[in-house]
Amino acid sequence: MHTWEPSSRKRLTLILASSILVALCLAIVARLCEEDQLLPKLATDLMTLAAILVVISPSFYITYYVQEAFFLRILTISAAVCLAVSAFLEFTGTLPQLSWSPLFADASDLHRGLLWFLTMLGSVLLIASLYFTLVEAASARSETQRKHNDLLNEVQERERAQAALREQDDLYRLAISQAGAIPYRVNWQTMTGKLFHNGAGTLANIVGDGYDFSQYLKMRKEVRYLGPLGDMSPQEVEKQIEKGLLRTCQCEYMMLAHDGSEVWFFDSWTGIPDDQGRVAEAIGLIQDVTHKKREEQAQIRKERYYRALIENALDIITVLRRDASVRFVSPSIESVLGYSPNELVGMDIVDLVAPQDRLRFMEAIGNLDTTPSGFDMGLFQFRHKDGSVRILQSVGRDFSDYPGISGLMLNIRDLTDRVNLETQLQQSQKLEAVGRLAGGIAHDFNNLLTAIMGNVELALMRLDDTDEKTREHLDQANLVSQSAADLIRQLLTFARKQHLEMKAVHLNHIALNLDRMLRRLIDVNISLSTIPAALNDLVRVDTGQIEQVLVNLVVNARDAMPHGGSITVSTQDVPQKGPRNWCSPNDLHKDFVSISVTDTGTGMSPEVIEHIFEPFFTTKSQGKGTGLGLATSYGIVKQAGGYFEVSSEIERGTTFRVFLPVFSGQEELFPDTESRNPILNGNETILLVEDTEQTLFIIQTILRSYGYTVIGRTNGEDAIKVANEYGRALSLLIIDVVMPSMNGMEVAKRVRALTPETRVLFISGYTDKAPIPVSNDNKTAFLPKPFTPSTLVRHVRALLDSNKTLIKV
């Protein structure tokens, strides 16, 4: 169907109207002229023929213009042919030259019949063509109207689509603008492109208006590709880009602004392939992510900070699942329990708790549900990887509802040293209590022992030599009294409240004199041997303290042999030649002698040997050792200028060797080995001040038995009165250091103010409440209680004669 345009319809209508009007005029004129015979017959016939042609002329127009209407074209042509032939036959009928032909002669029936037929057929066909032309025109108009509407709808739809595209484009532009992104297009071959930044933004300030991509690549620093390209180096990615093999790419990089500050960008582009399939161009977005990058870096720094806190914290941070299995544990677990974090992940933490504490620990874990704010779970014993036990305090909290944790968090702190220190403090307090008890009874007990020992010795002096039985009993009482005195002295030594009596002695004497006591300390399944060497050198020590060292060493050796063994106490002379690694540089030129204690016990590892002299360090079970014995022994030996040497092997025994410096003076014999000397008698006047009447009585008796005049007083006030009365006649003042109201030193000071030439002998069984009197002249000495009569008289005589060889001040 042909599409009739509005201009075509108007033109066809005009042609049809004009042709009909013209044809009507020609037909009227021809009929008038024929009736009035105004024109020849030929002229009127020609006018009729013209009218016919005018009428059928639109059909020729339609035939020419409407090329698709084939049927209408044939119909119009046939009508025109029939009418034209009819008009031609009517014209030829008027010509006399053709009258001879039946076809053309007007009088011929054939001519008239054919003329009528053609006229009727042409008229019918013409009317039919006009009808179909009008039908076609109406249909074409309807189709044209429909197509016009369709075209109008299409135009409106296109306008709506364009409006939607403009809206979407504005939305994309707004989104890109809000995101701070800058679109760009780059050609990989020419390495040039364009940034659509409108001269605004940080990137525009850095790269300017031009966009030389090769220069832009040089300006990028710290490039990091993202996504699938993250595993490739920047150089490998750029080679892929140059080869046109990448379709998409995302990366981050840093650029330096004009002020030197660092600006970070996110770049995302998509490639446009050419005819060969290679990426020739790319379009993308560049976004300033400096603020985001700084936030990420700040978050990373914060995470590193908290991670460093957790990883370097002394406390153990542990995250548990609901079944108490370990999901995370901080590295500090290794320094506390010896396990690495990887060893404990997935392990049930209850397995680390000592069996006796597991039930209590599980109950504490269960209570975390009811106390979401967390609570102190208490102290628990945990097993170290090496089998030892550590005491840990746990504070727990339920973080099941916290994202990223979803479990139980325990903060575990190692309180082993603190608990041990508290135990040691309690032990120290016990020892302090023992010391206070020892100090409290030492004064009175030593006074009593002084009286007992004095009376026993006086009885022995007056005893008839024939009464051997009585002498044996008195000797036994004297021995028991001496043992009691040794016990008090050792108790005070242990409590570190003793007075040091430095003497020049042989180590052999100390070892042999202590042999009997040491045998009482060991079990029956342990043998003790004392092997003295041939020593000629002396050492200057406090014999009580060295005895304490030996006692400590023997007791430790005994405890190291629960199933029996042997202990050997021996002395040795140290060769002057050869290396002495135990010496300090200042002692390399000194001579030493040694005394050692060797056992066949369990031995010690090198790790234990490193700590054995530390206070309160012990390998013994609780209640069997304080950890003070070796520490005290080390201090005693160090104070004497000596050193320890320790050698040990597991299951083969241990040897402790004590090295003491050689003393070049003369030996000072033990008081109880000395005998009475007649030259100890005298006739001087002595003022004795002692607040204990028993001690006062026995001292008076002893001194009077040696010929001295003794004036006894029980307090300082009376003593001052006596000194004021006797004046220079008073040769010696014997006074107890610790007395009520006025102590011995104050009394001695006031007496010496009255009689400057009077000698002073201080005596005391306990000097913790008053300092030991010391003087650089030959008029003052100190004698600790208890003492024997012979010892007292020797000190008195030596002080009166100003000979202090036997006196330690």
Side-chain angles (χ1 to χ4, degrees):
M1 181 70 67
H2 177 69
T3 301
W4 293 85
E5 298 294 337
S7 58
S8 300
R9 294 198 302 271
K10 290 179 181 179
R11 189 163 49 251
L12 179 60
T13 303
L14 181 60
I15 292 173
L16 288 174
S18 300
S19 61
I20 293 174
L21 181 60
V22 172
L24 181 60
C25 292
L26 289 175
I28 293 173
V29 172
R31 179 58 59 186
L32 291 176
C33 290
E34 184 179 359
E35 291 178 355
D36 297 336
Q37 298 182 354
L38 296 177
L39 293 174
K41 179 68 171 171
L42 178 60
T44 57
D45 290 338
L46 290 175
M47 291 177 65
T48 302
L49 180 59
I52 294 172
L53 293 176
V54 170
V55 172
I56 66 175
S57 59
S59 299
F60 290 103
Y61 173 78
I62 293 172
T63 301
Y64 172 76
Y65 186 76
V66 187
Q67 299 178 0
E68 295 83 352
F70 179 76
F71 173 74
L72 183 58
R73 187 185 310 156
I74 296 300
L75 189 63
T76 303
I77 292 174
S78 299
V81 170
C82 290
L83 291 176
V85 173
S86 174
F88 176 73
L89 290 177
E90 187 174 357
F91 173 71
T92 58
T94 60
L95 297 177
Q97 293 83 354
L98 297 177
S99 59
W100 55 271
S101 174
L103 180 61
F104 297 105
D106 186 39
S108 170
D109 292 335
L110 178 60
H111 175 77
R112 288 194 296 272
L114 183 59
L115 179 63
W116 180 83
F117 176 75
L118 291 174
T119 301
M120 292 301 293
L121 180 61
S123 299
V124 172
L125 293 176
L126 179 60
I127 293 171
S129 64
L130 291 175
Y131 172 76
F132 284 113
T133 298
L134 292 175
V135 172
E136 181 69 19
S139 177
R141 180 178 180 182
S142 176
E143 181 67 19
T144 301
Q145 182 65 33
R146 186 184 65 80
K147 289 187 177 293
H148 174 72
N149 294 336
D150 291 343
L151 180 61
L152 182 61
N153 292 335
E154 183 178 354
V155 171
Q156 292 176 349
E157 186 67 27
R158 185 175 299 174
E159 290 178 351
R160 286 194 295 269
Q162 290 177 350
L165 289 175
R166 286 194 299 270
E167 182 180 359
Q168 187 175 13
D169 184 64
D170 293 340
L171 180 62
Y172 287 157
R173 291 179 181 274
L174 179 61
I176 293 174
S177 175
Q178 290 295 326
I182 299 176
Y184 70 91
R185 187 181 185 113
V186 63
N187 188 302
W188 293 127
Q189 280 70 35
T190 61
M191 297 301 287
T192 58
K194 180 173 179 58
L195 285 172
F196 303 96
H197 54 73
N198 297 326
T202 306
L203 185 61
N205 295 332
I206 295 176
V207 302
D209 295 332
Y211 188 58
D212 184 347
F213 199 72
S214 60
Q215 295 298 322
Y216 183 80
L217 290 178
K218 295 179 181 179
M219 297 174 65
R220 302 190 309 175
K221 302 179 184 300
E222 300 185 23
V223 181
R224 184 171 70 93
Y225 288 92
L226 308 175
L229 305 178
D231 297 331
M232 301 174 62
S233 66
Q235 294 77 13
E236 293 175 338
V237 176
E238 291 172 4
K239 289 180 181 179
Q240 296 288 329
I241 294 175
E242 293 176 0
K243 295 177 182 179
L245 302 179
L246 290 183
R247 292 290 187 268
T248 60
C249 179
Q250 291 181 342
C251 63
E252 288 182 345
Y253 48 83
M254 183 266 292
M255 301 180 73
L256 296 177
H258 297 305
D259 59 0
S261 60
E262 296 181 354
V263 183
W264 285 87
F265 294 100
F266 172 77
D267 191 349
S268 176
W269 57 263
T270 300
I272 302 175
D274 56 11
D275 297 337
Q276 288 76 29
R278 298 180 56 189
V279 175
E281 290 185 314
I283 57 174
L285 292 174
I286 299 177
Q287 185 177 1
D288 185 352
V289 293
T290 304
H291 181 68
K292 177 182 176 182
K293 194 69 176 180
R294 289 174 179 170
E295 289 181 348
E296 291 179 355
Q297 292 174 347
Q299 184 67 24
I300 291 174
R301 287 193 298 268
K302 184 183 294 184
E303 290 178 357
R304 289 177 178 174
Y305 171 74
Y306 286 113
R307 179 173 292 274
L309 288 180
I310 292 176
E311 292 181 351
N312 295 284
L314 297 178
D315 291 356
I316 302 172
I317 309 299
T318 306
V319 178
L320 306 178
R321 299 182 180 91
R322 298 303 305 177
D323 60 355
S325 61
V326 178
R327 194 175 71 190
F328 168 81
V329 62
S330 60
S332 54
I333 188 71
E334 191 163 2
S335 62
V336 177
L337 293 180
Y339 295 93
S340 66
N342 293 333
E343 289 181 278
L344 296 183
V345 172
M347 181 178 179
D348 192 341
I349 194 173
V350 180
D351 294 339
L352 297 177
V353 183
Q356 61 270 26
D357 288 348
R358 287 181 182 176
L359 181 60
R360 187 165 55 89
F361 184 80
M362 294 174 63
E363 292 177 353
I365 290 290
N367 291 334
L368 291 178
D369 293 338
T370 60
T371 54
S373 60
F375 73 103
D376 186 355
M377 299 166 57
L379 297 179
F380 301 93
Q381 299 182 69
F382 279 71
R383 292 184 296 104
H384 194 277
K385 189 175 183 180
D386 60 7
S388 61
V389 175
R390 307 293 294 179
I391 301 175
L392 307 183
Q393 180 187 32
S394 299
V395 177
R397 185 175 180 183
D398 189 355
F399 282 96
S400 300
D401 298 332
Y402 279 68
I405 300 180
S406 302
L408 306 176
M409 179 176 288
L410 301 184
N411 190 327
I412 302 175
R413 176 170 297 178
D414 186 4
L415 295 184
T416 305
D417 293 339
R418 175 181 170 183
V419 173
N420 289 339
L421 286 175
E422 290 177 352
T423 304
Q424 293 165 7
L425 177 60
Q426 294 174 358
Q427 188 67 27
S428 298
Q429 291 173 342
K430 291 179 181 178
L431 295 177
E432 180 68 20
V434 172
R436 290 181 180 274
L437 177 61
I441 67 174
H443 183 269
D444 294 335
F445 195 68
N446 281 330
N447 283 333
L448 295 175
L449 286 177
T450 301
I452 294 172
M453 294 169 66
N455 283 297
V456 169
E457 187 163 343
L458 289 177
L460 286 172
M461 293 170 58
R462 298 175 181 177
L463 185 65
D464 187 358
D465 293 338
T466 60
D467 194 353
E468 294 296 334
K469 196 66 175 178
T470 303
R471 180 175 298 276
E472 182 179 349
H473 289 306
L474 290 175
D475 286 339
Q476 189 65 30
N478 196 15
L479 181 61
V480 172
S481 300
Q482 186 63 47
S483 298
D486 292 340
L487 178 62
I488 291 297
R489 177 167 50 83
Q490 290 176 1
L491 188 60
L492 289 176
T493 300
F494 182 74
R496 313 201 83 172
K497 298 178 181 294
Q498 79 285 5
H499 168 63
L500 296 181
E501 288 188 88
M502 306 298 291
K503 292 182 179 293
V505 296
H506 280 287
L507 282 180
N508 287 344
H509 293 168
I510 297 177
L512 293 172
N513 288 339
L514 199 62
D515 181 80
R516 180 180 297 178
M517 178 184 293
L518 295 179
R519 293 183 184 277
R520 298 193 189 103
L521 298 176
I522 61 177
D523 298 332
V524 295
N525 58 349
I526 298 176
S527 62
L528 174 66
S529 301
T530 301
I531 306 175
L535 299 179
N536 296 320
D537 296 321
L538 303 175
V539 294
R540 186 171 176 81
V541 295
D542 184 290
T543 57
Q545 288 193 334
I546 298 301
E547 288 175 356
Q548 179 187 352
V549 172
L550 292 177
V551 168
N552 289 337
L553 295 179
V554 170
V555 169
N556 287 341
R558 178 201 64 189
D559 294 340
M561 297 182 294
H563 305 295
S566 63
I567 301 175
T568 302
V569 179
S570 60
T571 59
Q572 302 90 21
D573 191 10
V574 179
Q576 296 183 359
K577 297 181 180 180
R580 296 196 299 224
N581 297 329
W582 40 266
C583 285
S584 66
N586 297 329
D587 295 324
L588 290 177
H589 301 291
K590 291 183 179 181
D591 294 328
F592 287 82
V593 291
S594 69
I595 184 168
S596 61
V597 176
T598 302
D599 65 70
T600 59
T602 56
M604 296 180 292
S605 65
E607 293 78 13
V608 173
I609 293 177
E610 290 181 1
H611 302 282
I612 56 174
F613 292 115
E614 295 179 3
F616 301 105
F617 177 83
T618 180
T619 58
K620 301 176 184 179
S621 59
Q622 187 173 3
K624 293 186 177 180
T626 63
L628 290 174
L630 288 178
T632 303
S633 300
Y634 181 85
I636 291 173
V637 174
K638 191 73 174 177
Q639 186 178 18
Y643 298 89
F644 264 101
E645 183 180 73
V646 183
S647 60
S648 181
E649 294 185 31
I650 300 297
E651 302 301 335
R652 299 192 64 178
T654 303
T655 297
F656 281 88
R657 195 174 183 187
V658 178
F659 294 87
L660 297 171
V662 172
F663 179 65
S664 58
Q666 297 181 355
E667 181 178 9
E668 300 178 38
L669 300 178
F670 291 98
D672 55 359
T673 64
E674 300 178 19
S675 60
R676 180 181 174 188
N677 193 328
I679 65 172
L680 299 180
N681 296 333
N683 56 7
E684 290 87 351
T685 300
I686 299 175
L687 174 59
L688 174 62
V689 185
E690 171 62 56
D691 59 331
T692 304
E693 293 184 359
Q694 296 89 339
T695 306
L696 177 65
F697 171 77
I698 193 60
I699 294 176
Q700 281 181 323
T701 304
I702 293 171
L703 292 177
R704 287 172 179 171
S705 67
Y706 280 87
Y708 297 101
T709 302
V710 181
I711 305 171
R713 293 292 185 270
T714 58
N715 57 74
E717 292 81 359
D718 293 342
I720 295 173
K721 294 178 180 179
V722 172
N724 190 25
E725 178 182 351
Y726 280 79
R728 293 181 180 273
L730 197 61
S731 300
L732 177 64
L733 170 65
I734 301 177
I735 187 169
D736 195 352
V737 176
V738 180
M739 292 193 308
S741 179
M742 186 181 302
N743 64 50
M745 293 188 65
E746 185 178 353
V747 174
K749 182 179 179 180
R750 297 179 64 174
V751 169
R752 290 286 295 272
L754 297 173
T755 59
E757 297 301 324
T758 301
R759 271 69 168 167
V760 179
L761 177 61
F762 291 98
I763 59 175
S764 180
Y766 176 57
T767 59
D768 183 62
K769 296 182 179 179
I772 299 174
V774 177
S775 175
N776 294 326
D777 57 23
N778 294 330
K779 298 180 180 180
T780 304
F782 175 78
L783 178 63
K785 299 176 183 178
F787 45 78
T788 62
S790 58
T791 302
L792 172 64
V793 175
R794 283 190 303 107
H795 280 72
V796 169
R797 190 68 262 168
L799 187 58
L800 291 173
D801 297 338
S802 298
N803 179 9
K804 302 179 65 175
T805 303
L806 302 179
I807 302 175
K808 173 67 180 74
V809 178

